[in-house]
Structures are given as C-alpha cells and as structure tokens.
Amino acid sequence: MITERAGTPAVGYATEPDTQDGCYKLKVLAAGLQPTDILRSRGIYKAPELPYIPGGEGVALLADGNRVYFGHAIPSCGALAEWTIVPKEEVWPLPPDIDEGQAIALAIAGTGALIPLRQANIMPGDNVLILGATGPVGQVAAQVARAMGAGRIVAAARSLQPLLRLRERGIVDDIVQLGLGDDEKSLKDSAGEGFTVIFDAVFGAPLRAALRASRYHARIICVNLAGGDDVTLNGGDIARRTLHAVGTGYRPPAERRAAWEYLLLLARKGRMAVDCVWFDLGQISSAWALQRASPAGKIIVRVSQ
C-alpha cells in the first residue's frame, strides 16, 4: 500500500474488495510495474486517494481456476495485492504455454511498441534507431521492427551492459551508448546514410541528436518522456521528416488485446522475448526503487503461488 504522496509502497493488510458491476474479482499471481505507477504515486497522473494499492496489470486466476492477463485494475484495488478488481473488457485469456512474466511484459509495454511501429509503416530495408532500447518498450520495439522486415536496427541507451546483451541476443545490429559526451556524433557514426525510422522512448535532448542522424523523409515515433518533457528543435531538425506522438493506453481494449495476441504469437515462434526482473511481494521497496531508476527489463512482482 502507498500511504503518502511520492512514497514507497509497503506490505500491509486491507479488507478484501467486493466485486463490482462489470468487473471480475481476481486472485493475483503476479503483477507488473510500469512508469505510470511511479507517476501516480507522485500525484502527477491519475492519482488515487490515499491510501491505495498500486499496480495496474498482472496475471491472475478467475473463479474457475483459469489464468488470465489483466490490465487497468480499479485504482484503489491495484494489482499488488492478493485480490484485485478489473473491468471485464480488460481481462484476457492467457494461453497455457505463455510464461506469466512474458504475458505481462508484452501487454502494456508491448502494445505500446507494436501499435506505434505499425503507424511508422516499417518497410524492408529500413534503417531503424530505437532510443531507450533497453527498457521493455524498447526491447519489444527492436524485435517488432525485425519481424516487420527492417534491414538494420540500432539500439541506443545510457547503460552499456544491457545494450551489449541486446546485441549478443541478436536483437539489434549495433549499439550506441548515450550520455558519454557528443550523442549527435555517436548516433551519426552509427547511422550510415541516416536512419529512416526513429522509435523514441526517451524524448528530450536524445531525440534532437537522433533527428540530426536521420535521412530526409524519415518517420519519427515518440512514445515516452523519460529523457525530459521538453526538446528544442529548429526547422532543419524536422524538415522533410514526419513526426508522430503516439499513445496507446486509451485505445479500445479490443485493439490492444489483438496487438497483445500478435506479440504472443511471435513469442511462440521464438521471435519475441523481454528480459524480466522478478521480486517477491515482500521485496516491493526494492522493486519500486528499480522501477524509479528506469530498469533494463520488465519488473514483475510475485504476489501469490
């Protein structure tokens, strides 16, 4: 539970929630953390009244014992609890051959990469840059771009070891470590004749550097603000380029579910996997601290067996 603004959640006890109309009452097995959980705790984004149970997505059991993925839990009865309440349209059947961590990682984070990249209209031979590639959204974006036929994929982020892991796994062809000095030069050195698609999960100064390493007619998709809320661009930065800011959280549940099921299909074929970092519920303070630090993977909290 979170009892104060910008606080760290701690394990406690609450009254078991009552079922609400149009919702399922679910027995939670595992819950996923995401950036919006931190924003809610700070009172920046859809802040529930205090105290509240954080977490919006996870894997749970229905009353009949079947596993399901759920997203958008009722804010006061979040995912980090033995029981949660979720609107029925946000509860999706989970195939038995899909790992719980992957099911969660490919949902809100996964569809947050797939839907925007479809809008970018990836074409065979595209030279794609993923900004913020080590997080779950970036990892999915790189693998989706490959599945769509991109010719070359470059991962950019601040942490070197997670970047090296992406290259070792064959997910990307080249890496660029940001924050070492001249990001614009580093990106240009890796861009060849210029990036044709930029998937930006960072924003801020890295986006400006990336734009200057792109070709004319490049398609730029911005999905996050991890690198800062503001960026200063001039006419040359955006001339003859197409820039989109794409959000997915408010898309209809049916559209998000279809995107999730496509990602599960890629996972079954061995073409999609996201690094997950697991914690037990009693380790929630450590999990929360890692989420605040922009983790190189999806944070999953094991709630019950």
Side-chain angles (χ1 to χ4, degrees):
M1 302 182 71
I2 288 182
T3 59
E4 60 182 356
R5 286 284 170 240
T8 296
V11 175
Y13 295 90
T15 303
E16 189 173 311
D18 294 323
T19 304
Q20 300 182 20
D21 290 342
C23 295
Y24 286 119
K25 180 179 176 180
L26 302 174
K27 175 70 171 178
V28 180
L29 299 176
L33 292 185
Q34 54 186 314
T36 52
D37 292 324
I38 304 299
L39 296 179
R40 282 193 178 95
S41 75
R42 293 173 178 167
I44 297 172
Y45 175 79
K46 291 186 175 181
E49 292 185 10
L50 296 169
Y52 73 95
I53 300 169
E57 65 171 338
V59 169
L61 296 176
L62 289 171
D64 61 9
N66 286 318
R67 286 191 318 162
V68 293
Y69 165 82
F70 67 90
H72 299 277
I74 300 298
S76 60
C77 305
L80 288 165
E82 292 177 296
W83 296 94
T84 190
I85 305 295
V86 184
K88 289 183 176 180
E89 64 270 18
E90 298 288 354
V91 177
W92 307 335
L94 179 57
D97 60 333
I98 299 297
D99 169 82
E100 291 166 3
Q102 294 303 306
I104 297 169
L106 296 178
I108 292 177
T111 57
L114 173 61
I115 292 172
L117 278 175
R118 283 176 169 167
Q119 187 166 330
N121 190 28
I122 299 286
M123 295 180 288
D126 265 327
N127 187 13
V128 179
L129 171 66
I130 310 293
L131 284 176
T134 56
V137 175
Q139 289 185 37
V140 173
Q143 294 170 87
V144 165
R146 184 78 76 196
M148 289 179 170
R152 183 170 176 270
I153 301 171
V154 177
R158 288 183 173 271
S159 299
L160 179 59
Q161 290 304 316
L163 285 171
L164 292 172
R165 175 166 166 75
L166 292 179
R167 189 169 62 186
E168 290 166 1
R169 291 173 59 192
I171 291 176
V172 300
D173 302 299
D174 196 10
I175 60 174
V176 175
Q177 186 178 8
L178 301 175
L180 297 181
D182 192 341
D183 287 346
E184 182 179 333
K185 181 180 184 303
S186 297
L187 290 168
K188 285 181 175 178
D189 288 345
S190 181
E193 296 181 359
F195 297 113
T196 59
V197 174
I198 297 172
F199 180 90
D200 173 30
V202 177
F203 208 65
L207 172 61
R208 182 174 185 179
L211 284 168
R212 294 178 175 182
S214 66
R215 297 185 203 176
Y216 284 146
H217 309 298
R219 292 96 71 200
I220 296 90
I221 305 293
C222 299
V223 301
N224 205 340
L225 302 174
D229 294 341
D230 302 300
V231 60
T232 300
L233 304 174
N234 60 40
D237 294 328
I238 58 175
R240 299 191 223 173
R241 294 167 177 86
T242 304
L243 182 64
H244 296 279
V246 182
T248 57
Y250 294 100
R251 302 291 177 102
E255 180 182 359
R256 289 184 279 108
R257 177 176 172 178
W260 178 70
E261 290 175 344
Y262 170 76
L263 293 173
L264 296 187
L265 179 61
L266 290 182
R268 285 195 185 93
K269 294 179 178 180
R271 303 176 66 187
M272 178 65 61
V274 177
D275 289 331
C276 294
V277 185
W278 284 83
F279 293 86
D280 291 327
L281 188 61
Q283 300 171 303
I284 184 58
S285 61
S286 297
W288 198 257
L290 185 57
Q291 182 63 58
R292 280 175 171 162
S294 299
K298 182 69 176 179
I299 297 178
I300 311 291
V301 179
R302 191 178 289 104
V303 176
S304 56
Q305 301 298 324

